[in-house]
Amino acid sequence: MPDIARKFDEYGRIAWADEKARLDNFAIQLTKEANSVGYILVFNAPTMCAGEAQARAIRAKRYLVEHRRIPWTKVIWKEEGYSDDVQTTLYIFPRDITISYHEYTFETSRTERHLKKNCTGRIALIRRSKW
């Protein structure tokens, strides 16, 4: 990982209340660093439904922007591909750096597979999460 990127936090499948606490800390740090941008990098996993990683990333960004009042231009989310387990990583970058797909993470090639049961309800629950 280049020196310009700073990993702030990393977590797997955790309760929404615990994730909000981690996002609160991320928001505090982004507020302290005026010339920084926060990246929310999410990975798909076999224990997830198709679209679940994206829904989780959007929920995290909405929380930071709508609840914590971080400017929307200061938070970027990206799907980083596929992993063996649920993973969200929070990075802080200088504002003038733009990262491309998979530039800051390593991932081996693999075939994506997802859960098929209860996916509509599972993703709807993520989308309905409140602060």
Side-chain angles (χ1 to χ4, degrees), residues 48-109:
M48 300 173 83
C49 297
E52 186 176 345
Q54 180 181 24
R56 288 174 174 276
I58 291 169
R59 174 179 69 180
K61 178 171 179 167
R62 284 186 58 227
Y63 178 78
L64 290 168
V65 171
E66 294 174 14
H67 181 69
R68 296 299 310 213
R69 304 289 186 225
I70 302 296
W72 68 270
T73 56
K74 217 170 144 78
V75 181
I76 298 169
W77 68 267
K78 295 176 71 135
E79 268 187 275
E80 279 293 290
Y82 197 76
S83 167
D84 290 331
D85 203 5
V86 175
Q87 180 182 334
T88 301
T89 308
L90 307 175
Y91 279 98
I92 297 176
F93 284 85
R95 180 172 288 287
D96 57 346
I97 300 296
T98 303
I99 67 170
S100 63
Y101 191 66
H102 298 300
E103 185 172 348
Y104 285 91
T105 58
F106 175 78
E107 162 193 312
T108 57
S109 247

Side-chain angles (χ1 to χ4, degrees), residues 8-35:
F8 183 81
D9 196 2
E10 181 176 71
Y11 51 90
R13 185 181 305 276
I14 59 176
W16 176 229
D18 295 333
E19 185 173 357
K20 288 188 295 184
R22 289 171 181 246
L23 292 170
D24 287 340
N25 291 332
F26 194 45
I28 290 166
Q29 195 61 38
L30 289 173
T31 301
K32 288 180 182 178
E33 298 183 33
N35 291 318

